[in-house]
């Protein structure tokens, strides 16, 4: 991979040291062109529904390829929240199998949606991971939480606060051994390393296009295992969730026989082209090359932080393309680095450094130059 050639397609990289892909991916020139093309089409043609719907199906195909899934297993939704809410609406918590196992690493969306099911009888049990310093102990924590009353185990592949990565495949085995479904929030994972939903044996996996997939907001994806689709009947719906979208029927609800049944109304057609363009970059570059570059850059971050004795909130855990470091004043540090042209973000007392394959070691040098100038805001061992 020619990193300089890659970087030339992301204009912000010529002006900023951009290390905030866990919040929003850098904008590629091809993604900008796709967004402008949508506006040009509105100006020149007005309504382009056949094209937009066709583009949506190509986005579905591209997403399925990325995840190792079939197109029929992919729902395109407005947000991860919308997809998860549609899935949760299928579940019945009235019987004895009413436990939902979640984690302290959850993004607020997933936690809040599951807690919202308590009036329907859901029993929420949280696996506490924040104080677990040894990733080898994680599976034991899940094994103790998952039992014959468990309906669903829902975990984030990568924790949005500290970059820690869970062994989703191993947790799925524990869930399935007890007859529970496995749901994965993969927002911070997909696009940074290969993710194969079949190898993971996930029942449901969700994410979005605006971070490491380099698309834009207002569009997300939801994988639902093929053999599970017809067993789930969401109480949410809309005309794009119907088997025959063009039927315009108002006398009945006839859900699609594919994962489209988890969709709802008119899709965000303004985002489809941008999300396709972002995925095209991933496919053209190749996930192996992307993974190698992400490992190269994150290793450099860990090495430089360790040399200074700064505390990593990621710790010794496996991780994706995010490394979190402890700060005495995370907001001030983010602001100070921003003034120096280095863009990062923060959560939970940590600064989040989230490169992608378009970053190089010069970005890391610029980052640590800025951090050294504000070292009083870092927490030392």
């Amino acid at each position: 991979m020619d990193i300089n050639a890659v970087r030339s397609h992301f204009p912000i990289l010529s002006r900023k040291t951009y290390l905030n892909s866990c919040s929003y991916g850098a904008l590629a020139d091809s993604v900008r062109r796709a967004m402008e093309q949508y506006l040009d089409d509105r100006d020149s043609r007005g309504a382009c529904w056949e094209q937009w719907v066709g583009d949506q199906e190509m986005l579905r195909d591209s997403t399925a390829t990325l995840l190792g899934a079939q197109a029929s297993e992919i729902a395109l939704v407005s947000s991860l929240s919308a997809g998860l809410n549609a899935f949760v609406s299928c579940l019945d918590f009235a019987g004895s199998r009413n436990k939902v196992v979640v984690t302290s690493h959850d993004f607020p969306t997933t936690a809040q949606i599951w807690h919202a099911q308590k009036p329907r009888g859901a029993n929420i049990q949280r696996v506490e991971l924040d104080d677990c310093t040894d990733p080898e102990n994680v599976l034991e924590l899940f094994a103790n939480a998952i039992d014959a009353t468990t309906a669903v185990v829902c975990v984030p592949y990568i924790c949005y606060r500290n970059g820690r990565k869970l062994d989703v495949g191993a947790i799925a085995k524990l869930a399935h051994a007890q007859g529970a479904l496995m749901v994965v929030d993969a927002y911070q994972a997909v696009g940074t390393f290969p993710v194969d939903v079949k190898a993971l044996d996930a029942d449901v996996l969700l994410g979005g296009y605006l971070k490491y997939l380099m698309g834009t907001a207002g569009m997300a994806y939801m994988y639902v295992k093929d053999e599970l689709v017809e067993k789930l009947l969401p109480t949410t719906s809309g005309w794009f969730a119907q088997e025959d979208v063009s039927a315009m029927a108002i006398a009945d609800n006839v859900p699609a026989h594919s994962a489209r049944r988890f969709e709802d109304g008119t899709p965000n057609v303004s985002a489809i082209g941008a999300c396709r363009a972002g995925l095209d970059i991933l496919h053209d570059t190749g996930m192996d090359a992307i993974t190698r570059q992400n490992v190269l850059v994150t290793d450099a971050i860990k090495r430089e932080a360790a040399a200074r004795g700064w505390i990593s909130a990621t710790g010794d855990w496996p991780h994706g393309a995010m490394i979190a470091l402890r700060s005495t004043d995370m907001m001030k540090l983010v602001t100070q680095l921003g003034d120096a042209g280095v863009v990062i973000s923060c959560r939970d007392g940590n600064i989040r450094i989230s490169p992608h394959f378009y970053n190089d070691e010069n970005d890391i040098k610029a980052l640590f130059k800025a951090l050294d100038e504000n070292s009083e805001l870092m927490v030392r061992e």
Side-chain angles (χ1 to χ4, degrees), residues 26-338:
L27 178 63
D29 48 20
S30 59
V31 176
R32 173 184 281 275
R33 285 195 300 270
M35 299 177 82
E36 291 171 344
Q37 185 63 56
Y38 165 76
L39 296 175
D40 290 344
D41 289 344
R42 290 284 307 277
D43 272 341
S44 63
R45 298 166 56 195
C48 310
W49 286 106
E50 288 187 7
Q51 175 186 316
W52 293 333
V53 172
D55 288 345
Q56 183 183 37
E57 293 313 304
M58 285 189 279
L59 175 61
R60 192 188 312 276
D61 289 343
S62 184
T63 304
T65 298
L66 182 68
L67 297 175
Q70 303 172 54
S72 61
E73 297 175 299
I74 303 297
L76 297 176
V77 291
S78 60
S79 65
L80 187 152
S81 300
L84 185 58
N85 273 312
F87 166 71
V88 170
S89 77
C90 305
L91 304 180
D92 182 2
F93 299 105
S96 59
R97 190 178 283 275
N98 65 347
K99 183 191 288 188
V100 178
V101 174
V102 299
T103 84
S104 59
H105 280 180
D106 286 7
F107 189 76
T109 274
T110 53
Q112 291 156 1
I113 288 172
W114 289 117
H115 283 294
Q117 308 314 307
K118 288 179 179 178
R120 299 177 58 210
N123 170 27
I124 313 302
Q125 180 169 339
R126 187 169 69 193
V127 175
E128 299 295 341
L129 299 173
D130 288 353
D131 295 329
C132 181
T133 57
D134 186 353
E136 296 295 325
N137 297 331
V138 168
L139 290 183
E140 182 179 355
L141 295 176
F142 278 98
N144 291 337
I146 302 168
D147 58 24
T149 70
T150 305
V152 177
V153 178
C154 182
V155 304
Y157 208 152
I158 302 286
C159 177
Y160 79 102
R161 292 184 287 112
N162 52 39
R164 293 176 173 183
K165 178 182 177 183
L166 291 174
D167 187 344
V168 170
I171 299 169
K173 288 181 181 179
L174 294 174
H176 293 151
Q178 293 288 353
L181 296 175
M182 182 69 184
V183 178
V184 183
D185 168 7
Y187 222 130
Q188 297 286 359
V190 175
T192 69
F193 55 82
V195 174
D196 185 325
V197 291
K198 302 302 182 182
L200 293 176
D201 202 16
D203 296 298
V204 177
L205 182 142
L206 309 97
Y209 296 96
L210 65 88
K211 300 180 190 293
Y212 298 102
L213 303 190
M214 297 168 294
T216 194
M219 183 70 70
Y221 59 86
M222 175 181 177
Y223 159 81
V224 183
K225 187 184 292 183
D226 185 60
E227 55 264 38
L228 188 62
V229 168
E230 296 267 16
K231 299 176 183 178
L232 297 171
L233 183 62
T235 59
T236 61
S237 192
W239 68 307
F240 271 78
Q242 301 298 296
E243 176 62 21
D244 183 358
V245 175
S246 62
M248 298 295 183
I250 61 172
D252 200 1
N253 173 45
V254 185
H257 295 296
S258 68
R260 279 200 305 103
R261 64 173 50 199
F262 299 99
E263 297 178 11
D264 45 38
T266 303
N268 181 2
V269 293
S270 65
I272 292 170
C275 295
R276 276 190 60 205
L279 284 189
D280 285 346
I281 297 170
L282 290 177
H283 290 308
D284 291 345
T285 307
M287 284 308 306
D288 288 342
I290 287 169
T291 302
R292 284 195 299 271
Q293 187 65 16
N294 282 333
V295 169
L296 176 72
V297 178
T298 52
D299 279 353
I301 295 168
K302 292 189 293 183
R303 183 174 61 250
E304 294 296 329
R308 290 160 173 80
W310 295 343
I311 293 180
S312 168
T314 310
D316 294 327
W317 284 56
H319 58 82
M322 182 204 304
I323 301 297
L325 303 177
R326 299 295 294 171
S327 172
T328 60
D329 190 334
M330 63 179 188
M331 294 300 296
K332 183 177 180 180
L333 188 53
V334 168
T335 300
Q336 296 282 76
L337 264 62

